[in-house]
Amino acid sequence: MKYLVPVTSALLLLAACGENEQPSFKSTIAEETNAGTTSAVTASDATSDSPAAQTSPPAPDEALTKAEAALQSDDLATAKVYLLNAIGRNPSDAQLYSKVAALRKNNPDLMTAPEFAAILNVALYQVAPDAVDGVMKMLQEVQDEQQTVAQAPSPAQQEPDYQKRLQELSAEYILKATPEKQLELCKERADILAILGEIDNNGVDIPKENRVTSTLLSFISIKNNLTSIFGNVQAVTQDNNDGLPMREKMLNAANGELTQAAYLDYSLLPAGSRVELMNMAKKAEELEKGLARAREEPVMEKIRGYYATDYGNYTAKIKSRRQIIERISEQVAQVHTPENLAEAREKLQTLAEEVSYLTGERYLEYQKFAVGRIRYVYVTYINNNCVTDEDAFRYIEGLAEIQLSLLAPEVVSMYQDILPKLLGQLDGAKRKVEAEKCLSVVEYYNDALGETRGKDKKKKTLEDF
């Protein structure tokens, strides 16, 4: 066994100071030269009140006590200082070196192996003969430790654990990273697989792992592209509502990405990946519906701009609404989105309901007109009791404006109740024939050639109300 030869006891102090606190070689020589002078100090000098006497290091047993107190408080650095102080005061105590060795065993960073080896080399020549073997054993252990450290490769020289890193770079781990970091991690994964493909890969299924990487790259690319497209479509929609061709082009690109997504092997991806892309497909569908509505907006503006007139009689109002219904029906042929169709149909339904209501009101208005005429004739007939032929014919002419086919059953009954009474007041059959002609819907006359012809008589119709 090979040991270092001690040059001076000052090496003990050199080791205690550590690598960054080494005293100069000059000061060490000076201490050794003055050793004789220092040892010549008398007992009276040691007990004097001089500053040197008052600040002298603690006795070995006191230093050891303080070292043990520091250990109890887990103050390892302080414990080291007091142990080395005790060794400096009593270098022949082999137990002190054992305590330092025990301190280093669980806390090797407190003192490097070279530092402790320097202390032990000095101790070989200072401890009692029966303790030399123990110090030699400790020194051998420290030298073995030094050799192990020297032979161990540095972190830069160590071969990377590619399989461990491959396990770390799982699809789940990569997809949790930021979009920018995801592509970087995929590239690292591909590089590791390329290396493992050339060396002993210990059972790694390289083809399958390559498929995972390829599928992962495709998934990330599709997701990032769709996110970018959706953002651009929304920006165009907000900034320029007329940019329909640009929006259509972007959404066509989104459909292309979604088509590629349909061919991914989702068994190689984390759970939920398919659902994530399905949600993005729904988003694309919503944007397409928005684009379709935007295309139909000019037509919808026309439909919304149609307003019915509310002036004139019932017939004028009905006519206005029927014209709007006809125009909207023509425009609806160009509308296909459910939302716009629902809006257009709702307006058509409203107009149809208004037409139905106005038609009913017009019919009631006609009944009021007929009842008014009939009531006037009836009251006059009753009040006069006996009317002349001329009066009866004049009342019949008043009823002639009423079109019997447009009357409600109740009003027809009133009409048929008064008419026979009036006809009974006429003189002779000839007069009754004239009255019947007056009440008919057709008026007969002779044309220039003497031929009898007929024409519609002017009777009140629904269109007059």
Side-chain angles (χ1 to χ4, degrees):
M1 180 165 42
K2 203 171 181 180
Y3 301 103
L4 297 174
V5 177
V7 176
T8 172
S9 60
L11 284 175
L12 181 61
L13 178 61
L14 177 64
C17 293
E19 294 178 354
N20 296 325
E21 300 179 4
Q22 296 177 3
S24 66
F25 207 55
K26 182 178 180 181
S27 63
T28 304
I29 297 295
E31 290 178 10
E32 186 178 39
T33 305
N34 294 329
T37 304
T38 304
S39 63
V41 177
T42 63
S44 60
D45 292 333
T47 58
S48 68
D49 295 332
S50 65
Q54 294 176 358
T55 59
S56 61
D61 56 345
E62 182 182 356
L64 184 58
T65 300
K66 290 189 175 184
E68 291 174 348
L71 285 172
Q72 292 293 328
S73 303
D74 287 332
D75 188 355
L76 303 183
T78 301
K80 167 192 168 184
V81 171
Y82 279 114
L83 282 174
L84 293 178
N85 181 276
I87 290 174
R89 299 283 300 197
N90 191 11
S92 63
D93 187 351
Q95 295 295 326
L96 296 175
Y97 301 102
S98 297
K99 291 182 180 295
V100 174
L103 182 64
R104 281 193 71 252
K105 183 176 181 180
N106 297 323
N107 305 279
D109 293 337
L110 283 175
M111 183 184 296
T112 65
E115 290 173 352
F116 192 35
I119 294 173
L120 293 175
N121 268 293
V122 176
L124 285 173
Y125 301 97
Q126 293 178 324
V127 298
D130 59 350
V132 170
D133 288 341
V135 174
M136 290 173 59
K137 182 178 179 181
M138 284 189 285
L139 181 59
Q140 181 63 51
E141 291 175 353
V142 173
Q143 288 178 336
D144 292 343
E145 179 185 342
Q146 284 182 274
Q147 186 175 3
T148 301
V149 172
Q151 292 176 350
S154 64
Q157 296 172 333
Q158 290 180 353
E159 186 72 16
D161 191 342
Y162 293 113
Q163 291 191 37
K164 180 180 179 182
R165 183 55 178 164
L166 181 64
Q167 292 176 352
E168 293 174 353
L169 293 175
S170 64
E172 292 83 356
Y173 174 81
I174 292 175
L175 290 179
K176 289 179 181 178
T178 61
E180 298 78 10
K181 188 69 175 176
Q182 287 174 354
L183 295 176
E184 179 183 333
L185 294 176
C186 281
K187 183 179 184 303
E188 181 184 353
R189 196 177 197 280
D191 292 342
I192 290 175
L193 287 170
I195 294 172
L196 290 175
E198 298 177 359
I199 62 177
D200 183 9
N201 52 59
N202 293 326
V204 175
D205 190 344
I206 299 297
K208 179 182 178 181
E209 294 298 334
N210 279 327
R211 289 197 303 274
V212 171
T213 304
S214 175
T215 304
L216 192 58
L217 274 170
S218 298
F219 176 80
I220 293 171
S221 175
I222 290 171
K223 191 172 71 169
N224 290 346
N225 290 342
L226 288 174
T227 301
S228 176
I229 290 171
F230 295 160
N232 291 335
V233 170
Q234 291 175 341
V236 171
T237 303
Q238 294 171 0
D239 297 340
N240 180 13
N241 199 33
D242 295 329
L244 299 182
M246 185 180 299
R247 289 165 63 184
E248 184 175 2
K249 184 177 180 180
M250 292 177 183
L251 289 175
N252 285 338
N255 285 329
E257 295 290 338
L258 290 170
T259 300
Q260 295 182 38
Y263 294 98
L264 292 179
D265 186 353
Y266 290 95
S267 65
L268 302 175
L269 295 174
S273 299
R274 184 191 297 273
V275 174
E276 190 173 357
L277 286 184
M278 286 176 65
N279 290 335
M280 299 190 88
K282 292 179 181 178
K283 177 67 175 178
E285 185 178 359
E286 291 175 3
L287 292 174
E288 286 182 343
K289 289 180 179 179
L291 175 61
R293 288 195 298 270
R295 287 198 198 99
E296 296 171 357
E297 191 58 27
V299 176
M300 293 305 299
E301 288 179 356
K302 288 183 180 179
I303 292 175
R304 297 186 193 108
Y306 292 138
Y307 292 98
T309 59
D310 283 322
Y311 57 83
N313 59 14
Y314 288 111
T315 297
K317 295 176 183 178
I318 292 171
K319 182 178 180 181
S320 172
R321 283 159 176 76
R322 284 176 174 167
Q323 287 175 343
I324 294 174
I325 289 174
E326 184 178 354
R327 292 171 185 171
I328 292 178
S329 298
E330 293 174 354
Q331 298 292 336
V332 165
Q334 304 176 54
V335 178
H336 304 284
T337 59
E339 294 83 359
N340 287 341
L341 275 174
E343 182 182 349
R345 287 169 179 169
E346 183 180 0
K347 186 160 187 175
L348 285 172
Q349 179 66 24
T350 300
L351 290 168
E353 290 173 357
E354 291 177 358
V355 168
S356 177
Y357 171 78
L358 292 171
T359 301
E361 290 296 305
R362 185 176 65 175
Y363 181 75
L364 291 177
E365 194 68 19
Y366 194 89
Q367 307 311 307
K368 291 178 183 179
F369 152 72
V371 169
R373 282 292 178 91
I374 295 170
R375 186 175 180 277
Y376 171 77
V377 172
Y378 190 84
V379 170
T380 303
Y381 172 79
I382 294 298
N383 289 339
N384 294 332
N385 195 13
C386 296
V387 294
T388 64
D389 173 86
E390 291 296 330
D391 291 335
F393 198 87
R394 187 172 68 254
Y395 296 150
I396 290 173
E397 287 181 331
L399 296 177
E401 287 187 331
I402 299 173
Q403 190 162 321
L404 193 60
S405 61
L406 298 178
L407 298 181
E410 299 83 358
V411 182
V412 171
S413 297
M414 294 175 61
Y415 182 91
Q416 293 177 344
D417 180 61
I418 187 61
L419 185 60
K421 295 180 174 62
L422 294 175
L423 292 175
Q425 297 296 323
L426 296 177
D427 294 335
K430 182 178 180 181
R431 194 66 168 161
K432 291 180 180 180
V433 171
E434 291 178 356
E436 290 175 357
K437 287 183 178 180
C438 179
L439 293 171
S440 67
V441 296
V442 179
E443 181 180 0
Y444 294 96
Y445 66 94
N446 294 326
D447 60 12
L449 299 177
E451 295 182 4
T452 302
R453 299 186 180 277
K455 65 177 181 179
D456 291 341
K457 296 182 66 175
K458 179 58 179 175
K459 283 183 174 290
K460 293 287 186 180
T461 65
L462 291 174
E463 285 71 19
D464 295 320
F465 294 86

